[in-house]
Amino acid sequence: MTQTLTSPKVKVDRKWQQFIGGKFEDGGSERELFNPATGKVLCKVQEGTKASAEKAIIAARKAFDQGPWPKMSAFERSQFLFKIADAIDAHQDELAELETLNGGKPLRESKYDMADAANCFRYYAGLITKPSGQAIDVPAPSVTTVVREPIGVCGQIIPWNYPLLMAAWKLAPALAAGNTCVLKPSEYTPLTAIRLAEILKELELPEGVVNVVLGAGPAVGAPIAESNLVDKIAFTGSVKTGKAIAQMALGNLKKVTLELGGKSPMVVFSDFDIDTAVDYALFAIYCNAGQVCSAGSRMVVEENIYDKFIAKMIERSKKIVVGPGFDQETEMGPLVSEAQKKRVLEYIEIGKKEGAKLEVGGDVPQGAKYENGYYINPTIFSNVKPDMRIVQEEIFGPVVVIQKFRTEEEAIALANGTNFGLAGAVFSNDLTRAHRVVRAIKSGITWVNGYHSTYNECPWGGYKQSGWGRELGTFGLEGYTEVKQININLDPQPVSWFA
């Protein structure tokens, strides 16, 4: 019998507001949020408008141009980021419960995300005080240095699959560099971002340094992307929306970082232990119900173990416990929304119509506790062709396709056979071959004999239509800075260029 965890202690029946210029305020209307596990209304949040976005941008502009934050020393900003990290740790249980209630993922995953978010702030708090810039050896009497300065006002639009973690990925490096921010969380999962804003206010972050605007993309996201008062836009989400944001950003040629979709391959050679490979394959695709941009949604398996691999995947996937995030036994939670559930089920129908073989899943769990929630069983397709939509397009759900290869060259061609290039993995005991193949895969994040390991110290981003630029690591900090050269003439004399 399923054991249910202690009921969440966090209070959601309260007022959830926008955070603009250091103050909480209403929007133009209210939006209902739903608990993905039950399909029932969770709470209501304020819904922003274009005017809300513009007000937040002005507050951020004032905070950057006139406020103390950009003028602080790196050490002072560092100390503040350490305080943010400590506060997230102190509120970890509350924030994790909010994340599970709002997004549906198992509580164990939410707790991991909260720890990772705190560590992201902690990483950039440490990085910002380290030596940076360059001293250039130029002819005397000149002295030339190259320094990095904050860009200015940064618009940041984050998705619903990792709400607080994605906020940390964007806020931490931007704040470390001395920028001010207008953050727009997903309209589906804004609760932890609002709670973070409350924590920042308690910590007395200067007014306007971080602003949180609520609402859908057309209403509040587009004005942020278009504004001439915004100097950089950072977006994580779909390719379609990313392309639209890039077009909007052309007005003032603002800096743009895009972390978009993926259709990531996991290449499995027959010399690797098949049970271990299957275990990683399950983790690659079914973690967070497949709602991960880097999900291993394509298994590329050597021909002589193809059938055995599928059989073991089917056997193991049937044992995955699907359920509410607050059930102790739950291993995979619901999808985030009714709309996302409908989208994934539509792709499953597309796969069947295209002629792929549905090996397992493709349906919703049966039982009273699943009745109104947004659940889909782990799903596997085999006998797929490279041009099928379920092979080429990002589904963003617990659906994996299994492709077959004979030669190393064919494996590489299949792995690179989409418009995406976010992540990829190779499994082989022949490390020389594994290294050769992983170097040939056109993806920004790769693993050998592993999957999904993510580090704040390492760059995150992709090739091709998986995006522009990188987040995390030193690359993430550099992405929130401008480069300036400073030339100082130590012995100014007349140039006498003109007689």
Side-chain angles (χ1 to χ4, degrees):
M1 185 175 180
T2 300
Q3 295 178 317
T4 302
L5 295 169
T6 304
S7 297
K9 299 175 183 178
V10 65
K11 182 180 179 181
V12 294
D13 185 19
R14 43 154 288 191
K15 195 161 190 177
W16 298 93
Q17 296 177 290
Q18 304 182 103
F19 185 60
I20 299 175
K23 300 177 178 62
F24 288 94
E25 62 179 56
D26 293 343
S29 60
E30 288 185 325
R31 172 185 288 269
E32 289 184 335
L33 300 183
F34 295 86
N35 184 338
T38 64
K40 296 180 180 179
V41 174
L42 181 64
C43 62
K44 294 181 180 180
V45 299
Q46 291 296 310
E47 185 86 340
T49 61
K50 180 180 180 181
S52 303
E54 291 172 344
K55 184 176 180 180
I57 292 167
I58 291 171
R61 185 79 262 167
K62 181 179 179 181
F64 185 80
D65 293 339
Q66 303 173 28
W69 186 258
K71 301 177 181 67
M72 286 183 182
S73 68
F75 177 79
E76 289 174 307
R77 293 197 302 274
S78 170
Q79 294 307 297
F80 207 102
L81 264 64
F82 277 125
K83 290 179 182 179
I84 297 173
D86 291 342
I88 292 173
D89 282 341
H91 292 276
Q92 184 190 74
D93 290 343
E94 173 197 357
L95 291 166
E97 287 184 359
L98 275 178
E99 200 95 311
T100 292
L101 283 170
N102 198 182
K105 66 177 61 179
L107 188 61
R108 64 174 182 173
E109 291 186 33
S110 294
K111 288 184 175 180
Y112 183 89
D113 293 348
M114 299 310 103
D116 203 14
N119 287 334
C120 186
F121 279 101
R122 203 165 276 123
Y123 168 72
Y124 283 106
L127 183 63
I128 194 61
T129 60
K130 302 303 181 286
S132 63
Q134 298 176 351
I136 310 299
D137 187 4
V138 297
S142 291
V143 173
T144 299
T145 58
V146 177
V147 298
R148 288 189 175 272
E149 298 181 338
I151 290 178
V153 175
C154 301
Q156 301 170 317
I157 302 174
I158 59 175
W160 42 257
N161 56 339
Y162 290 91
L164 189 69
L165 186 57
M166 292 295 99
W169 280 22
K170 287 178 170 51
L171 289 174
L175 295 177
N179 298 286
T180 59
C181 303
V182 179
L183 179 73
K184 192 204 90 65
S186 166
E187 60 270 31
Y188 293 111
T189 56
L191 296 187
T192 48
I194 300 171
R195 189 67 189 95
L196 178 61
E198 293 171 350
I199 290 171
L200 296 178
K201 185 173 178 63
E202 292 167 7
L203 294 175
E204 298 182 346
L205 182 72
E207 292 182 1
V209 173
V210 171
N211 306 270
V212 179
V213 184
L214 308 178
V220 295
I224 295 171
E226 292 172 340
S227 175
N228 287 336
L229 298 179
V230 174
D231 303 297
K232 176 186 171 74
I233 188 80
F235 169 78
T236 298
S238 71
V239 173
K240 180 180 179 181
T241 304
K243 289 180 178 180
I245 284 174
Q247 290 288 334
M248 296 176 196
L250 290 175
N252 65 332
L253 291 177
K254 59 174 61 67
K255 310 296 182 183
V256 178
T257 299
L258 302 174
E259 200 270 271
L260 308 179
K263 195 70 178 178
S264 302
M266 178 174 148
V267 180
V268 182
F269 286 93
S270 60
D271 67 334
F272 193 82
D273 179 73
I274 193 168
D275 291 311
T276 303
V278 167
D279 189 68
Y280 272 103
L282 296 171
F283 181 52
I285 182 58
Y286 299 131
C287 178
N288 199 22
Q291 300 171 121
V292 185
C293 57
S294 57
S297 53
R298 292 188 295 132
M299 298 295 118
V300 182
V301 181
E302 194 165 4
E303 182 180 47
N304 56 340
I305 60 167
Y306 180 78
D307 293 333
K308 189 176 180 180
F309 186 92
I310 292 174
K312 287 182 175 289
M313 276 281 287
I314 294 170
E315 179 186 4
R316 288 286 305 276
S317 66
K318 287 180 177 179
K319 296 178 180 178
I320 293 174
V321 180
V322 179
F326 284 95
D327 283 359
Q328 286 183 337
E329 295 179 358
T330 292
E331 296 174 315
M332 191 181 87
L335 300 183
V336 73
S337 66
E338 181 68 37
Q340 187 63 16
K341 176 183 176 182
K342 181 181 178 182
R343 167 189 165 88
V344 174
L345 289 175
E346 287 175 350
Y347 266 108
I348 291 170
E349 290 304 310
I350 289 169
K352 290 191 287 188
K353 290 178 181 178
E354 286 180 318
K357 183 180 179 182
L358 179 62
E359 295 282 0
V360 71
D363 56 357
V364 299
Q366 300 300 307
K369 72 177 179 179
Y370 304 112
E371 190 172 351
N372 297 310
Y374 311 137
Y375 301 95
I376 295 179
N377 282 317
T379 300
I380 298 172
F381 279 105
S382 67
N383 294 340
V384 297
K385 297 179 181 178
D387 61 348
M388 288 181 174
R389 288 184 62 188
I390 60 169
V391 176
Q392 291 294 322
E393 299 176 16
E394 185 177 44
I395 299 173
F396 225 63
V399 181
V400 65
V401 299
I402 306 182
Q403 299 174 272
K404 182 192 303 183
F405 74 88
R406 294 182 179 85
T407 66
E408 181 180 313
E409 291 72 23
E410 186 181 5
I412 293 169
L414 288 173
N416 290 331
T418 74
N419 290 326
F420 296 103
L422 184 58
V426 179
F427 284 75
S428 175
N429 288 330
D430 183 345
L431 291 182
T432 300
R433 174 172 62 185
H435 187 259
R436 183 170 61 243
V437 174
V438 86
R439 286 294 302 268
I441 292 177
K442 298 184 184 303
S443 296
I445 308 144
T446 60
W447 300 277
V448 170
N449 299 342
Y451 210 96
H452 272 326
S453 52
T454 305
Y455 307 101
N456 290 312
E457 298 83 358
C458 298
W460 186 271
Y463 291 21
K464 299 188 279 188
Q465 293 193 33
S466 286
W468 288 348
R470 295 294 184 269
E471 295 188 307
L472 298 182
T474 57
F475 299 85
L477 182 62
E478 290 170 359
Y480 282 98
T481 63
E482 290 279 20
V483 178
K484 174 185 285 186
Q485 77 169 267
I486 301 174
N487 299 284
I488 302 175
N489 186 347
L490 298 180
D491 185 21
Q493 299 292 333
V495 177
S496 300
W497 187 266
F498 298 102

